[in-house]
C-alpha cells in the first residue's frame, strides 16, 4: 500500500521517478550517513530503477541501511562501514558521492576545498580501482573543482571516460524552476529553466530567456531572480545557522538526477538535463568542464547540447562565469597533479 502510494505520490507530482523501463541497477552512495546521504538513500530506495542500494560512510552507514532497508520497495539495501569501501563498490553501476563537509554561514563553496578535495580524490581512486566502469555523480562541493579532481584521478589510473563523470548541478535547476514559478505565478513544470556554467555563485548562469515564463522579466525583478538562483544555497545556510547547508532539497535533486541517468542507461530516449561534465563548448578558452544540457543515454553522456541563444543580460552573466570557473577547474586539476 505504502509502496504504491509512495510511487504514485512521488512520481507524477514531483516528476522524480519514471517507472517506464524495467532494467535495474546497483547504486552506491558514498557519504550515506550525512545530511544529504540519509534522505538521498531513502529516495533512492523508492526508485524502481534501483535494484541494489549500497550505503557507505566513515560513520553511520550500517544504521542508515538497516533503517532504509525496511521500506517496502523491492530493492536490496546493504550498509558498509569504513573498512569495507571495496565491498560497497563491487559490481556497482552508479556511484553517488555526497561525502565531505558542508558550508557554515559566511563560507563560500571554495572554502570547503581543503577538506573535500582529498576526500573526493581518495573515493574516486577507490572507484577507479574497484568499479572502473561505474558512472560517478559528484555532489561534494566545490563541484567546479571536485569534478576535475575525479576526472584527473581516474585519468591517472588510466580509466577516465568523460561519458561517465557528472557534477550534480540539478539543485540549481530545481531552484530556478521553483523560484521562477513563484515570480511568474505559474507552476514549476511550466518553468524548466536551463541553468549552465558551474555550481557556485556567479558561475551559475540561468537562461531565463529560453523559457516563456522567464522571457519577459526585466529590471529589478530579473536581477533579484537571478541573484536568488545563484545564491539560493546561502538562504539555507543562513536559516540553518551553522547546522549545515541544503540537505533535503539536495537529496531530492540528487535522486532526480540519478533517476535521469538510470533512464538514459536503460535506453530511454530524450532524457536531457544540465550537468557539469567534460565539455568542449568553451575548451578554446581553456575551460574543459562546463554544465550545459546533456542528453543521457546507454553509455552515460550521449550528446552535449549547445547553450542556445543568450539575451544581452545572459551574455554578461556568462562573461562573469567563465574566469571564475576556469580558476576553480585549474585548482582541482593542480591538486591532483
Ligand atoms: P554532512 O557533513 O551532513 O555529511 C557528509 C558525510 O560525509 C558525513 O556522514 C561524513 O561522515 C561523510 N564522509 C566524510 N568523509 C568521508 C569519506 N572519506 N568517505 C565516506 N564518507 C565520508 O554534509 P552534507 O550536508 O550531507 O553535505 C555533503 C556535501 O554536499 C558537502 O560538500 C556540501 O557542500 C555538498 N552539497 C552539494 C550540493 C550540490 O548542489 N551539489 C548542495 C548541497 C550540499
Amino acid at each position: 500500500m505504502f509502496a504504491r502510494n509512495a510511487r504514485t505520490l512521488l512520481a507524477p507530482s514531483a516528476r522524480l521517478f519514471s517507472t517506464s523501463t524495467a532494467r535495474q541497477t546497483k547504486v552506491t552512495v558514498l557519504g550515506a550517513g550525512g545530511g544529504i546521504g540519509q534522505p538521498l538513500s531513502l529516495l533512492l530506495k523508492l526508485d524502481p530503477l534501483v535494484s541494489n542500494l549500497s550505503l557507505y560512510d566513515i560513520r553511520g552507514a550500517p544504521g542508515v541501511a538497516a533503517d532504509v532497508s525496511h521500506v517496502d520497495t523491492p530493492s536490496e539495501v546493504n550498509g558498509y562501514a569504513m573498512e569495507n569501501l571495496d565491498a560497497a563498490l563491487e559490481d556497482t553501476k552508479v556511484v553517488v558521492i555526497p561525502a565531505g563537509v558542508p558550508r557554515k554561514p559566511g563560507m563560500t563553496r571554495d572554502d570547503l576545498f581543503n577538506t573535500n578535495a582529498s576526500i573526493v580524490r581518495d573515493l574516486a581512486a577507490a572507484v577507479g580501482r574497484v568499479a572502473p566502469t561505474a558512472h560517478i555523480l559528484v555532489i561534494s562541493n566545490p563541484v567546479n573543482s571536485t569534478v576535475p579532481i575525479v576526472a584527473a584521478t581516474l585519468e591517472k589510473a588510466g580509466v577516465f571516460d568523460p561519458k561517465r563523470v557528472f557534477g550534480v548541478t540539478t539543485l540549481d535547476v530545481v531552484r530556478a524552476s521553483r523560484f521562477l514559478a513563484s515570480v511568474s505565478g505559474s507552476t514549476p513544470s511550466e518553468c524548466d529553466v536551463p541553468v549552465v556554467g558551474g555550481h557556485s555563485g556567479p558561475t551559475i548562469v540561468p537562461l531565463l530567456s529560453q523559457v516563456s515564463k522567464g522571457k519577459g522579466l526585466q529590471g529589478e525583478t530579473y536581477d533579484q531572480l537571478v541573484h536568488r538562483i545563484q545564491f539560493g544555497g546561502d538562504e539555507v545556510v543562513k536559516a540553518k545557522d551553522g547546522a549545515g547547508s541544503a540537505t533535503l532539497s539536495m537529496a531530492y535533486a540528487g535522486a532526480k538526477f540519478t533517476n535521469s541517468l538510470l533512464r538514459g542507461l536503460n535506453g530511454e530516449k530524450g532524457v536531457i538535463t544540465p550537468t557539469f561534465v567534460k565539455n568542449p563548448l568553451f575548451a578554446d578558452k581553456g575551460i574543459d568542464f562546463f554544465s550545459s544540457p546533456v542528453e543521457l543515454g546507454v553509455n552515460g553522456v550521449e550528446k552535449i547540447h549547445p547553450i542556445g541563444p543568450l539575451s544581452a543580460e545572459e551574455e554578461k552573466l556568462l562573461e562573469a562565469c567563465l574566469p571564475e570557473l576556469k580558476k576553480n577547474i585549474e585548482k582541482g586539476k593542480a591538486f591532483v597533479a
Side-chain angles (χ1 to χ4, degrees), residues 273-291:
T273 184
T275 170
F276 188 72
V277 293
K278 179 117 183 168
N279 190 320
L281 290 179
F282 295 94
D284 62 335
K285 293 187 160 59
I287 297 163
D288 53 353
F289 290 87
F290 192 85
S291 181

mmCIF file of all heavy atoms in Angstrom, residues 273-291:
data_model
loop_
_atom_site.group_PDB
_atom_site.id
_atom_site.type_symbol
_atom_site.label_atom_id
_atom_site.label_comp_id
_atom_site.label_asym_id
_atom_site.label_seq_id
_atom_site.Cartn_x
_atom_site.Cartn_y
_atom_site.Cartn_z
ATOM 1 N N THR A 273 19.207 16.893 -19.484
ATOM 2 C CA THR A 273 19.254 17.746 -18.288
ATOM 3 C C THR A 273 20.634 18.384 -18.170
ATOM 4 O O THR A 273 21.626 17.781 -18.600
ATOM 5 C CB THR A 273 18.918 16.906 -17.022
ATOM 6 O OG1 THR A 273 18.874 17.781 -15.893
ATOM 7 C CG2 THR A 273 19.934 15.815 -16.755
ATOM 8 N N PRO A 274 20.708 19.600 -17.620
ATOM 9 C CA PRO A 274 22.032 20.186 -17.441
ATOM 10 C C PRO A 274 22.847 19.397 -16.413
ATOM 11 O O PRO A 274 22.309 18.944 -15.401
ATOM 12 C CB PRO A 274 21.734 21.594 -16.894
ATOM 13 C CG PRO A 274 20.329 21.886 -17.303
ATOM 14 C CD PRO A 274 19.643 20.549 -17.244
ATOM 15 N N THR A 275 24.115 19.194 -16.693
ATOM 16 C CA THR A 275 25.036 18.582 -15.731
ATOM 17 C C THR A 275 26.457 19.007 -16.085
ATOM 18 O O THR A 275 26.765 19.276 -17.249
ATOM 19 C CB THR A 275 24.878 17.040 -15.688
ATOM 20 O OG1 THR A 275 25.941 16.479 -14.911
ATOM 21 C CG2 THR A 275 24.900 16.398 -17.067
ATOM 22 N N PHE A 276 27.315 19.044 -15.053
ATOM 23 C CA PHE A 276 28.680 19.572 -15.198
ATOM 24 C C PHE A 276 29.600 18.429 -15.625
ATOM 25 O O PHE A 276 29.928 17.556 -14.819
ATOM 26 C CB PHE A 276 29.097 20.152 -13.845
ATOM 27 C CG PHE A 276 30.390 20.912 -13.847
ATOM 28 C CD1 PHE A 276 30.478 22.166 -14.451
ATOM 29 C CD2 PHE A 276 31.513 20.402 -13.209
ATOM 30 C CE1 PHE A 276 31.667 22.879 -14.412
ATOM 31 C CE2 PHE A 276 32.707 21.114 -13.166
ATOM 32 C CZ PHE A 276 32.773 22.356 -13.776
ATOM 33 N N VAL A 277 29.978 18.442 -16.901
ATOM 34 C CA VAL A 277 30.764 17.333 -17.453
ATOM 35 C C VAL A 277 31.964 17.870 -18.242
ATOM 36 O O VAL A 277 32.053 19.080 -18.494
ATOM 37 C CB VAL A 277 29.896 16.486 -18.421
ATOM 38 C CG1 VAL A 277 28.796 15.755 -17.677
ATOM 39 C CG2 VAL A 277 29.312 17.350 -19.543
ATOM 40 N N LYS A 278 32.846 16.980 -18.624
ATOM 41 C CA LYS A 278 33.913 17.350 -19.563
ATOM 42 C C LYS A 278 33.206 17.785 -20.839
ATOM 43 O O LYS A 278 32.405 17.034 -21.410
ATOM 44 C CB LYS A 278 34.800 16.132 -19.811
ATOM 45 C CG LYS A 278 35.908 16.389 -20.766
ATOM 46 C CD LYS A 278 37.257 16.230 -20.104
ATOM 47 C CE LYS A 278 38.347 16.580 -21.093
ATOM 48 N NZ LYS A 278 39.636 16.723 -20.478
ATOM 49 N N ASN A 279 33.485 19.014 -21.277
ATOM 50 C CA ASN A 279 32.585 19.645 -22.240
ATOM 51 C C ASN A 279 33.404 20.504 -23.209
ATOM 52 O O ASN A 279 34.201 21.344 -22.777
ATOM 53 C CB ASN A 279 31.612 20.527 -21.425
ATOM 54 C CG ASN A 279 30.468 21.075 -22.225
ATOM 55 O OD1 ASN A 279 30.639 21.473 -23.376
ATOM 56 N ND2 ASN A 279 29.299 21.109 -21.614
ATOM 57 N N PRO A 280 33.236 20.295 -24.505
ATOM 58 C CA PRO A 280 34.071 21.033 -25.481
ATOM 59 C C PRO A 280 33.614 22.478 -25.750
ATOM 60 O O PRO A 280 34.331 23.230 -26.397
ATOM 61 C CB PRO A 280 33.913 20.195 -26.756
ATOM 62 C CG PRO A 280 32.565 19.560 -26.631
ATOM 63 C CD PRO A 280 32.315 19.347 -25.156
ATOM 64 N N LEU A 281 32.442 22.884 -25.230
ATOM 65 C CA LEU A 281 31.861 24.165 -25.663
ATOM 66 C C LEU A 281 32.794 25.365 -25.470
ATOM 67 O O LEU A 281 32.827 26.272 -26.288
ATOM 68 C CB LEU A 281 30.535 24.426 -24.929
ATOM 69 C CG LEU A 281 29.345 23.541 -25.310
ATOM 70 C CD1 LEU A 281 28.124 23.916 -24.476
ATOM 71 C CD2 LEU A 281 29.026 23.629 -26.794
ATOM 72 N N PHE A 282 33.517 25.385 -24.342
ATOM 73 C CA PHE A 282 34.405 26.529 -24.070
ATOM 74 C C PHE A 282 35.862 26.083 -23.928
ATOM 75 O O PHE A 282 36.671 26.766 -23.311
ATOM 76 C CB PHE A 282 33.939 27.296 -22.821
ATOM 77 C CG PHE A 282 32.596 27.939 -23.036
ATOM 78 C CD1 PHE A 282 31.437 27.297 -22.656
ATOM 79 C CD2 PHE A 282 32.503 29.169 -23.670
ATOM 80 C CE1 PHE A 282 30.194 27.871 -22.891
ATOM 81 C CE2 PHE A 282 31.270 29.747 -23.926
ATOM 82 C CZ PHE A 282 30.115 29.106 -23.536
ATOM 83 N N ALA A 283 36.167 24.927 -24.503
ATOM 84 C CA ALA A 283 37.527 24.385 -24.391
ATOM 85 C C ALA A 283 38.547 25.344 -25.018
ATOM 86 O O ALA A 283 39.691 25.439 -24.559
ATOM 87 C CB ALA A 283 37.595 23.006 -25.035
ATOM 88 N N ASP A 284 38.126 26.102 -26.059
ATOM 89 C CA ASP A 284 39.064 27.047 -26.682
ATOM 90 C C ASP A 284 39.446 28.173 -25.728
ATOM 91 O O ASP A 284 40.442 28.866 -25.930
ATOM 92 C CB ASP A 284 38.466 27.605 -27.990
ATOM 93 C CG ASP A 284 37.179 28.376 -27.740
ATOM 94 O OD1 ASP A 284 36.500 28.095 -26.720
ATOM 95 O OD2 ASP A 284 36.847 29.270 -28.552
ATOM 96 N N LYS A 285 38.680 28.355 -24.665
ATOM 97 C CA LYS A 285 39.018 29.374 -23.653
ATOM 98 C C LYS A 285 39.722 28.723 -22.463
ATOM 99 O O LYS A 285 39.851 29.321 -21.392
ATOM 100 C CB LYS A 285 37.741 30.074 -23.175
ATOM 101 C CG LYS A 285 37.076 30.904 -24.250
ATOM 102 C CD LYS A 285 35.911 31.693 -23.639
ATOM 103 C CE LYS A 285 35.490 32.886 -24.464
ATOM 104 N NZ LYS A 285 35.056 32.583 -25.817
ATOM 105 N N GLY A 286 40.116 27.474 -22.605
ATOM 106 C CA GLY A 286 40.814 26.772 -21.519
ATOM 107 C C GLY A 286 39.864 26.254 -20.447
ATOM 108 O O GLY A 286 40.278 25.922 -19.337
ATOM 109 N N ILE A 287 38.556 26.183 -20.773
ATOM 110 C CA ILE A 287 37.568 25.698 -19.805
ATOM 111 C C ILE A 287 37.007 24.378 -20.339
ATOM 112 O O ILE A 287 36.184 24.376 -21.260
ATOM 113 C CB ILE A 287 36.436 26.736 -19.624
ATOM 114 C CG1 ILE A 287 37.041 28.009 -19.050
ATOM 115 C CG2 ILE A 287 35.307 26.207 -18.745
ATOM 116 C CD1 ILE A 287 36.166 29.212 -19.196
ATOM 117 N N ASP A 288 37.495 23.270 -19.791
ATOM 118 C CA ASP A 288 37.091 21.998 -20.395
ATOM 119 C C ASP A 288 36.043 21.241 -19.572
ATOM 120 O O ASP A 288 35.676 20.114 -19.915
ATOM 121 C CB ASP A 288 38.300 21.108 -20.718
ATOM 122 C CG ASP A 288 39.203 20.902 -19.544
ATOM 123 O OD1 ASP A 288 38.992 21.552 -18.502
ATOM 124 O OD2 ASP A 288 40.137 20.090 -19.644
ATOM 125 N N PHE A 289 35.553 21.857 -18.490
ATOM 126 C CA PHE A 289 34.383 21.318 -17.793
ATOM 127 C C PHE A 289 33.334 22.421 -17.749
ATOM 128 O O PHE A 289 33.655 23.588 -17.467
ATOM 129 C CB PHE A 289 34.729 20.885 -16.359
ATOM 130 C CG PHE A 289 35.604 19.667 -16.309
ATOM 131 C CD1 PHE A 289 36.984 19.786 -16.378
ATOM 132 C CD2 PHE A 289 35.055 18.396 -16.212
ATOM 133 C CE1 PHE A 289 37.806 18.665 -16.345
ATOM 134 C CE2 PHE A 289 35.861 17.271 -16.186
ATOM 135 C CZ PHE A 289 37.239 17.409 -16.249
ATOM 136 N N PHE A 290 32.089 22.067 -18.012
ATOM 137 C CA PHE A 290 31.047 23.083 -18.114
ATOM 138 C C PHE A 290 29.718 22.360 -18.017
ATOM 139 O O PHE A 290 29.584 21.223 -18.462
ATOM 140 C CB PHE A 290 31.163 23.802 -19.470
ATOM 141 C CG PHE A 290 30.341 25.056 -19.572
ATOM 142 C CD1 PHE A 290 30.835 26.263 -19.099
ATOM 143 C CD2 PHE A 290 29.079 25.032 -20.159
ATOM 144 C CE1 PHE A 290 30.077 27.436 -19.210
ATOM 145 C CE2 PHE A 290 28.319 26.188 -20.268
ATOM 146 C CZ PHE A 290 28.830 27.398 -19.790
ATOM 147 N N SER A 291 28.743 23.015 -17.417
ATOM 148 C CA SER A 291 27.411 22.435 -17.366
ATOM 149 C C SER A 291 26.562 23.017 -18.483
ATOM 150 O O SER A 291 26.383 24.239 -18.566
ATOM 151 C CB SER A 291 26.759 22.724 -16.014
ATOM 152 O OG SER A 291 25.479 22.136 -15.988
#
